[in-house]
Amino acid sequence: MTRTDNSIARYLIYIALALFTVYNVLPFAWTIMNSVKLPKDANARIPRFLFSPTGENYSELWLNIEPEEFAPYGLALILVFFILAAIALSANRIPAPNSVVYLGCIFAGVVVALALPEIVNTAEFYDYLINSVIVTVGTLCISLSIGALAGYGLARFRHVVSVYILVVALAFRSLPSLALVLPFYYLGQLSGLYDTHILLIFCLVAVNQPFTIWMLRSFFMEIPREIEEAAMIDGAGRLKSFLSVIVPIMWPGIITTGLFTLLLAYNDFLLARILTQINWTLPVGIAQFTGGEDPGHVTLAAAGSVSVTLPILVVIIFFQKYLIRGLASGAVKG
């Protein structure tokens, strides 16, 4: 792509990019506004841009307490997670490895989340958050572990069997999720795992694994064989060279694949709705506010949507440099 020296063309490009940005940001901005409106303001015939903001929607969504008591708890939680985010963003200035700082912040956030029900009476939507975290983390760990080993094997040991495995994986991935729901449902009923985290994690891993294998294989293909061969000449075995040499080089690619896996597991609705009856995840929990005639559901759905989106935004901000580096290192090369 060449840079234009025509000032008029540059201004037109800037205007087009600004309009495109507004077009993409406006729905989320409107959702944020609705999340702090009263039902009468959110359901007004004429859209209201000037209104008195309220935290009642978030209070009703997350905590079983009176709205006037929500402010101290809400501000305290925001302060805690703001401090953790600031520490993670300043990891380069802390005399410790970045991975240790990130893991420490994640561990502290998990401890706060698990301890919250002991401090305040949480609502049912909070249980959906815990379910989503368990399912997402479980799916992420299993998918990346299996995908990394499978992708490495298919990239290094090229054989006609590898081609068959990749084609079968691609065919399985091309199937619509609806075609897999009933078999998963019957397996859950027969095994007694219906409405459990284990069943949902295994099903999400099965659906996502072909994508993980294909994506990680493309990253492994970009790494020269000579690097691990040099490690094996120095005495390292195949597994040790993989863990000590290949994985550190592959880290941006693993994080990139992990982010896509995280989004798939975190935002899944169909499998979570059919394979669970009580242990719903956040997307299923939000769906209960999208129907019915209660005018308050509009603001509750908006508050739920904002609450679900914020954790993903934080994760993307933390790992954006690895995401860009990983996409540029081989997964999108033709």
Side-chain angles (χ1 to χ4, degrees), residues 172 175-191 194 199 203 206 271 274-275:
F172 185 80
L175 291 174
S177 299
L178 192 60
L180 307 173
V181 168
L182 288 180
F184 288 152
Y185 177 81
Y186 288 129
L187 286 175
Q189 293 287 350
L190 293 175
S191 62
Y194 178 74
L199 176 65
C203 293
L271 291 176
I274 296 179
L275 299 180

Side-chain angles (χ1 to χ4, degrees), residues 266-319:
Y266 189 77
N267 293 325
D268 179 79
F269 172 80
L270 182 63
L271 291 176
R273 180 62 184 90
I274 296 179
L275 299 180
T276 58
Q277 187 174 8
I278 299 176
N279 295 314
W280 287 355
T281 56
L282 287 174
V284 183
I286 293 177
Q288 64 181 320
F289 301 123
T290 57
E293 300 179 356
D294 190 344
H297 282 180
V298 175
T299 54
L300 289 176
S305 300
V306 174
S307 302
V308 169
T309 305
L310 288 180
I312 297 297
L313 290 179
V314 173
V315 171
I316 296 297
I317 290 173
F318 283 159
F319 295 105

Side-chain angles (χ1 to χ4, degrees), residues 145-162:
S145 300
I146 298 175
L149 294 173
Y152 174 76
L154 293 172
R156 289 294 182 261
F157 304 98
R158 301 178 186 178
H159 192 269
V160 65
V161 178
S162 302

Side-chain angles (χ1 to χ4, degrees), residues 59-71:
S59 174
E60 182 178 352
L61 191 69
W62 292 103
L63 303 175
N64 288 324
I65 59 177
E66 296 298 327
E68 56 271 13
E69 300 177 2
F70 174 73

Side-chain angles (χ1 to χ4, degrees), residues 124-143:
E124 191 176 21
F125 204 77
Y126 184 82
D127 297 332
Y128 301 155
L129 172 64
I130 300 300
N131 293 334
S132 289
V133 172
I134 294 173
V135 170
T136 301
V137 173
T139 303
L140 188 64
C141 294
I142 297 175
S143 293

